[in-house]
Amino acid sequence: MKQDELLQALSEVDQGLDACPGWGEIKAIAHAHPIELEEGQLSPGQQAVMILWRVFSVDSEGTSTAPDIEEASAEVIRASLEDFKALCAQEILLGSELDLDAIRSLFEMAQNAAAA
C-alpha cells in the first residue's frame, strides 16, 4: 500500500469514529504526543487510528494480527482497518469506560519510540 493510500485509509477510519463518545479525547491525547514519520507528521486522528489499530489487533496469544503495511495488499489493510473501526466503535468506545491514563501512556511510549 502506498503511503498516501494508507494516510487516506487512516483518515477514513478516523472520520468514521468521530461520532463515537471518547474519540475526541483520544485524538486530543494524540495531539499532545505527535509522531513524525519520514514522510511527515500524522494528524492526531491518523495517529490515534494507527496506534490503536496496532494495539488492538492481537490474537489471544498476544501476536499481532494487523497486516504488515509494506507487504500486505491495500484490500487486506483496508479490511483490517474496517475490522478495527467496528471493534473500536462497538467495544472500546461504547462498551467500556475509557482508561485515558493508559491511552496517554501508550501514546507517550509511541512518541518516545518514534523519536529514538
Side-chain angles (χ1 to χ4, degrees):
M1 179 176 245
K2 295 178 185 175
Q3 184 72 22
D4 60 329
E5 292 175 314
L6 175 63
L7 295 177
Q8 179 62 36
L10 295 173
S11 293
E12 289 169 7
V13 173
D14 170 35
Q15 292 167 359
L17 293 172
D18 269 339
C20 294
W23 188 246
E25 292 173 282
I26 292 172
K27 287 171 53 168
I29 293 170
H31 180 74
H33 303 286
I35 294 176
E36 284 200 34
L37 302 177
E38 290 178 17
E39 297 82 11
Q41 188 168 332
L42 296 171
S43 74
Q46 291 168 332
Q47 178 178 322
V49 171
M50 174 70 84
I51 291 173
L52 295 179
W53 172 46
R54 293 297 189 183
V55 168
F56 289 107
S57 296
V58 294
D59 61 20
S60 60
E61 297 173 5
T63 304
S64 176
T65 60
D68 185 325
I69 294 169
E70 295 181 8
E71 294 180 14
S73 69
E75 294 79 25
V76 169
I77 292 169
R78 285 189 182 277
S80 180
L81 282 166
E82 283 300 313
D83 290 345
F84 163 75
K85 182 172 80 174
L87 170 79
C88 193
Q90 294 171 4
E91 296 181 26
I92 299 167
L93 295 173
L94 297 179
S96 62
E97 191 165 317
L98 287 176
D99 184 347
L100 295 176
D101 290 332
I103 293 171
R104 190 172 291 103
S105 294
L106 177 65
F107 279 68
E108 287 171 358
M109 288 187 315
Q111 182 183 35
N112 292 336

